[in-house]
Amino acid sequence: MPLLDRTGTYIPDSFSREAGANRALQPFDGAEPGALAIEVANTTAPESLVPFFGAEMIAIGFPAYADGRGFTLARRLRHLGYTGTLRAVGPLIADQFAYALACGFDELELPEAHAARQPESHWKTAARAFSATYQRGYARGLNILDQRRAARAGGTHG
Amino acid sequence: MYRYDEFDETFVRERVAQFRDQVRRRLDGAITEDEFKPLRLKNGLYLQLHAYMLRVAIPYGTLSAHQLRQLAHIADRFDRGYGHFTTRQNIQFNWPQLKDVPEILDLLADVEMHAIQTSGNCIRNVTADQFAGVAADEIEDPRPVAELIRQWSSAHPEFSYLPRKFKIAVTGAAHDRAAVLVHDIGLRIVKDSVGEVGYEIIVGGGLGRTPMIGKVVRDFLPKRELLAYLEALMRVYNAEGRRDNKYKARVKILVHEIGIEEFRARVEAEFAGLDKSTINADPEEQARIAAYFASPTYAALPASDPALEAQCKANPAFSAWLDANRFAHKQAGYAAVTISLKPIGGIPGDISGAQMRVVADLAERFSFGEIRATHAQNLVLPHVAERDLFALWQALGDAELSTANAGLITDIIACPGLDYCALATARSIPIAQALSNRFADPERQRDIGELNIKISGCINACGHHHVGHIGILGLEKRGEESYQITLGGDATENAAIGEILGPGLTAEEVPDAIERLVETYRAERLPGESFIAAVRRLGVAPFKAAFLQETHHAAA
């Protein structure tokens, strides 16, 4: 299925769900620690994935675009120290792209029809919708609270 | 009042641009109607029975005269000359065209307003005590923390696709006017044993089809830990709230199913693992926001105005209005005044564009340019000098805004119901109008005293019927409207869910049934005892008897 990188560009997928593939993306059920890449449901307990943190990629399913559990699971895996690639798999829309990146995802795997009606330009525009947002501690560039803090620090030198 | 800085301004402008782009992508088919729906809802845009409805946020109910004039302009230009104040301190416009909505959002942004997260499965507009900064029993003004939460919850990357909507209310006073016990999260500003100010956190209250009173999840949270704690709590809910059934998806159901102890343990475990310093707003940021809510510069006035007594004597109607609509102000010589949007026989919460302009002008003349919207669908001028009360009353009277019924039986809360709403199962407004007409006599209203009637046109309970002293729920039974009456609900610190009195009534039967309840109270009350106090003392039995007796006769 089409794969979108963090810049909003469609890229080839180096992983395969085919059994026995060279770079296999395998279901979490039945996977052994040491697996190259695993695919998990958004209801998976994050602690149960710690033994798999050597994986190059963990893919998290979004069964529906309005099911926001994947955002929290990604955030928790980053908290627990996972540093590999996080992939969101499901019918996300462009308006969720910035949220997904902020919660720790690196890439989005979309259903064919879904990608077909959302060209790269939509994702790139949506990702830039806000030049800064309010929440601190999420994986993105500028947040408003820290900018205000910096402005205060800059303004108190005299 | 809070004023946008460059960041807030940019954020709201970018939000408008984003919505324009979303409308464009919907129109060219890039996103489906199903995908567009949550996006428009998160901008306050509903599709109702007859038209789109735009719900504009009035954060914690605080408005400036300048903002109210802009709302009047929008009402005149894009609606049919009026707006409708809601039970979440918001205002709704019932007749905008989809194509005009981005332009309306631009006009709102011009006066530092928006429609962000007034709907959808996200953190909604934060509400607060309408007498914030005014009430004498306040530990601290709740609006600075409400503003901090407003900013933090706006376009939150993790909590914008929650299992269900999420409502937060804040009170800083001992007497709860913000209904914090019936919100998803209620914050009560409290002091600990050494006098440090912080928050008591209540979770899992709510109305809807499964009404519940919230439970304390944290006795005391230091002020500076707030955002990290909210993040922990919201994360537990986002991960574990039910998504299999929308009627069981609110946090109250999760709290109910796993128990408050287990819920607390999960939140505390999440909270303990957070690097709080990377999440919380620093004290300087909290102080920056709080500074905007400093009291206006009051004049030094005597505690009571000598002319007031003579004015009252000469004008009984003025005196009655003061009795009902004046609220004691912490500042000597000042009062807060409720402007009732409940004229006898009128539509609760409706106000014309012309009336909005009158209120804006009067706010500038008499109340430092400030206005509050209340969850009871009225307005408040929060800082009026006692010596100006008479002139204010006269000017309000000229605009048909001097109804003397704040807190009385005709100050009825009602949702829009089947006259507007796509979810409604029965009409609400005509019931409110019939009751208002039935109890129109001002003498009788004063004799009955404080009594809240709350009407919802469906089980979703936007009219808060569960917490009305008398609640009325409109349902549909075999194609007919049927009204269920509850008794003994309370939205304050004594929060209680009303008890159903008996079988449903037709619309025509409702006023007689309510009258029987009121007469039972008048017959049984002790001197000075309010309706709700009498219900608590007597229990529902005598009221139920009066209710059922006549219903039985009618059926026989």
Side-chain angles (χ1 to χ4, degrees), chain A residues 121-136:
Chain A
S121 64
H122 289 195
W123 299 90
K124 291 178 199 287
T125 304
R128 285 194 306 266
F130 293 102
S131 49
T133 50
Y134 289 103
Q135 301 78 25
R136 299 183 66 225

mmCIF file of all heavy atoms in Angstrom, chain A residues 121-136:
data_model
loop_
_atom_site.group_PDB
_atom_site.id
_atom_site.type_symbol
_atom_site.label_atom_id
_atom_site.label_comp_id
_atom_site.label_asym_id
_atom_site.label_seq_id
_atom_site.Cartn_x
_atom_site.Cartn_y
_atom_site.Cartn_z
ATOM 1 N N SER A 121 0.556 17.049 -2.448
ATOM 2 C CA SER A 121 0.396 18.480 -2.134
ATOM 3 C C SER A 121 -0.527 18.675 -0.929
ATOM 4 O O SER A 121 -0.322 19.576 -0.116
ATOM 5 C CB SER A 121 -0.132 19.242 -3.357
ATOM 6 O OG SER A 121 -1.435 18.775 -3.677
ATOM 7 N N HIS A 122 -1.544 17.816 -0.811
ATOM 8 C CA HIS A 122 -2.473 17.956 0.318
ATOM 9 C C HIS A 122 -1.769 17.694 1.652
ATOM 10 O O HIS A 122 -2.002 18.389 2.634
ATOM 11 C CB HIS A 122 -3.646 16.982 0.164
ATOM 12 C CG HIS A 122 -4.586 17.375 -0.936
ATOM 13 N ND1 HIS A 122 -5.838 16.847 -1.062
ATOM 14 C CD2 HIS A 122 -4.445 18.242 -1.972
ATOM 15 C CE1 HIS A 122 -6.447 17.378 -2.125
ATOM 16 N NE2 HIS A 122 -5.607 18.214 -2.697
ATOM 17 N N TRP A 123 -0.927 16.674 1.650
ATOM 18 C CA TRP A 123 -0.221 16.338 2.891
ATOM 19 C C TRP A 123 0.783 17.420 3.257
ATOM 20 O O TRP A 123 0.898 17.812 4.421
ATOM 21 C CB TRP A 123 0.490 14.988 2.753
ATOM 22 C CG TRP A 123 -0.477 13.872 2.488
ATOM 23 C CD1 TRP A 123 -0.895 13.425 1.275
ATOM 24 C CD2 TRP A 123 -1.174 13.083 3.468
ATOM 25 N NE1 TRP A 123 -1.816 12.400 1.428
ATOM 26 C CE2 TRP A 123 -2.002 12.168 2.762
ATOM 27 C CE3 TRP A 123 -1.189 13.059 4.858
ATOM 28 C CZ2 TRP A 123 -2.824 11.245 3.394
ATOM 29 C CZ3 TRP A 123 -2.000 12.140 5.507
ATOM 30 C CH2 TRP A 123 -2.808 11.245 4.782
ATOM 31 N N LYS A 124 1.474 17.918 2.245
ATOM 32 C CA LYS A 124 2.489 18.941 2.517
ATOM 33 C C LYS A 124 1.824 20.227 3.034
ATOM 34 O O LYS A 124 2.312 20.852 3.968
ATOM 35 C CB LYS A 124 3.316 19.227 1.257
ATOM 36 C CG LYS A 124 4.223 18.047 0.853
ATOM 37 C CD LYS A 124 4.976 18.371 -0.428
ATOM 38 C CE LYS A 124 5.525 17.136 -1.120
ATOM 39 N NZ LYS A 124 6.685 16.519 -0.465
ATOM 40 N N THR A 125 0.691 20.601 2.419
ATOM 41 C CA THR A 125 -0.022 21.802 2.878
ATOM 42 C C THR A 125 -0.534 21.604 4.300
ATOM 43 O O THR A 125 -0.377 22.479 5.160
ATOM 44 C CB THR A 125 -1.222 22.107 1.949
ATOM 45 O OG1 THR A 125 -0.722 22.234 0.623
ATOM 46 C CG2 THR A 125 -1.926 23.383 2.361
ATOM 47 N N ALA A 126 -1.157 20.437 4.542
ATOM 48 C CA ALA A 126 -1.752 20.200 5.855
ATOM 49 C C ALA A 126 -0.692 20.181 6.948
ATOM 50 O O ALA A 126 -0.914 20.674 8.060
ATOM 51 C CB ALA A 126 -2.532 18.890 5.842
ATOM 52 N N ALA A 127 0.469 19.639 6.629
ATOM 53 C CA ALA A 127 1.527 19.556 7.638
ATOM 54 C C ALA A 127 2.010 20.938 8.053
ATOM 55 O O ALA A 127 2.519 21.122 9.151
ATOM 56 C CB ALA A 127 2.693 18.729 7.107
ATOM 57 N N ARG A 128 1.825 21.907 7.174
ATOM 58 C CA ARG A 128 2.289 23.272 7.469
ATOM 59 C C ARG A 128 1.172 24.180 7.973
ATOM 60 O O ARG A 128 1.349 25.390 8.060
ATOM 61 C CB ARG A 128 2.879 23.899 6.190
ATOM 62 C CG ARG A 128 4.258 23.390 5.809
ATOM 63 C CD ARG A 128 4.882 24.305 4.748
ATOM 64 N NE ARG A 128 3.996 24.476 3.581
ATOM 65 C CZ ARG A 128 4.079 23.732 2.477
ATOM 66 N NH1 ARG A 128 4.999 22.812 2.372
ATOM 67 N NH2 ARG A 128 3.251 23.938 1.472
ATOM 68 N N ALA A 129 0.001 23.592 8.275
ATOM 69 C CA ALA A 129 -1.169 24.417 8.610
ATOM 70 C C ALA A 129 -0.886 25.359 9.784
ATOM 71 O O ALA A 129 -1.309 26.505 9.786
ATOM 72 C CB ALA A 129 -2.370 23.538 8.923
ATOM 73 N N PHE A 130 -0.152 24.875 10.765
ATOM 74 C CA PHE A 130 0.146 25.710 11.931
ATOM 75 C C PHE A 130 1.645 25.947 12.050
ATOM 76 O O PHE A 130 2.422 24.988 12.068
ATOM 77 C CB PHE A 130 -0.376 25.055 13.212
ATOM 78 C CG PHE A 130 -1.880 24.985 13.251
ATOM 79 C CD1 PHE A 130 -2.540 23.802 12.965
ATOM 80 C CD2 PHE A 130 -2.622 26.125 13.553
ATOM 81 C CE1 PHE A 130 -3.930 23.750 12.978
ATOM 82 C CE2 PHE A 130 -4.007 26.078 13.569
ATOM 83 C CZ PHE A 130 -4.666 24.884 13.280
ATOM 84 N N SER A 131 2.022 27.220 12.142
ATOM 85 C CA SER A 131 3.446 27.509 12.279
ATOM 86 C C SER A 131 3.923 27.203 13.694
ATOM 87 O O SER A 131 5.097 26.942 13.917
ATOM 88 C CB SER A 131 3.735 28.962 11.904
ATOM 89 O OG SER A 131 2.838 29.832 12.566
ATOM 90 N N ALA A 132 3.005 27.231 14.659
ATOM 91 C CA ALA A 132 3.361 26.846 16.026
ATOM 92 C C ALA A 132 2.087 26.482 16.773
ATOM 93 O O ALA A 132 1.030 27.048 16.496
ATOM 94 C CB ALA A 132 4.070 27.984 16.751
ATOM 95 N N THR A 133 2.190 25.550 17.689
ATOM 96 C CA THR A 133 1.025 25.143 18.470
ATOM 97 C C THR A 133 1.349 25.212 19.955
ATOM 98 O O THR A 133 2.476 25.495 20.345
ATOM 99 C CB THR A 133 0.561 23.727 18.069
ATOM 100 O OG1 THR A 133 1.695 22.884 18.086
ATOM 101 C CG2 THR A 133 -0.074 23.736 16.704
ATOM 102 N N TYR A 134 0.333 24.947 20.767
ATOM 103 C CA TYR A 134 0.444 25.275 22.194
ATOM 104 C C TYR A 134 1.110 24.210 23.066
ATOM 105 O O TYR A 134 1.593 24.519 24.134
ATOM 106 C CB TYR A 134 -0.954 25.557 22.761
ATOM 107 C CG TYR A 134 -1.548 26.854 22.267
ATOM 108 C CD1 TYR A 134 -2.521 26.865 21.278
ATOM 109 C CD2 TYR A 134 -1.131 28.074 22.789
ATOM 110 C CE1 TYR A 134 -3.076 28.056 20.832
ATOM 111 C CE2 TYR A 134 -1.678 29.267 22.346
ATOM 112 C CZ TYR A 134 -2.664 29.248 21.370
ATOM 113 O OH TYR A 134 -3.197 30.425 20.923
ATOM 114 N N GLN A 135 1.069 22.943 22.665
ATOM 115 C CA GLN A 135 1.492 21.896 23.586
ATOM 116 C C GLN A 135 3.010 21.787 23.640
ATOM 117 O O GLN A 135 3.677 21.767 22.604
ATOM 118 C CB GLN A 135 0.894 20.545 23.158
ATOM 119 C CG GLN A 135 -0.625 20.550 23.102
ATOM 120 C CD GLN A 135 -1.176 21.227 21.866
ATOM 121 O OE1 GLN A 135 -0.515 21.298 20.838
ATOM 122 N NE2 GLN A 135 -2.379 21.754 21.952
ATOM 123 N N ARG A 136 3.538 21.672 24.841
ATOM 124 C CA ARG A 136 4.969 21.428 24.996
ATOM 125 C C ARG A 136 5.212 19.925 25.006
ATOM 126 O O ARG A 136 4.331 19.139 25.319
ATOM 127 C CB ARG A 136 5.480 22.027 26.304
ATOM 128 C CG ARG A 136 5.306 23.543 26.395
ATOM 129 C CD ARG A 136 5.889 24.090 27.694
ATOM 130 N NE ARG A 136 7.325 23.922 27.738
ATOM 131 C CZ ARG A 136 8.000 23.479 28.794
ATOM 132 N NH1 ARG A 136 7.362 23.179 29.907
ATOM 133 N NH2 ARG A 136 9.308 23.354 28.750
#
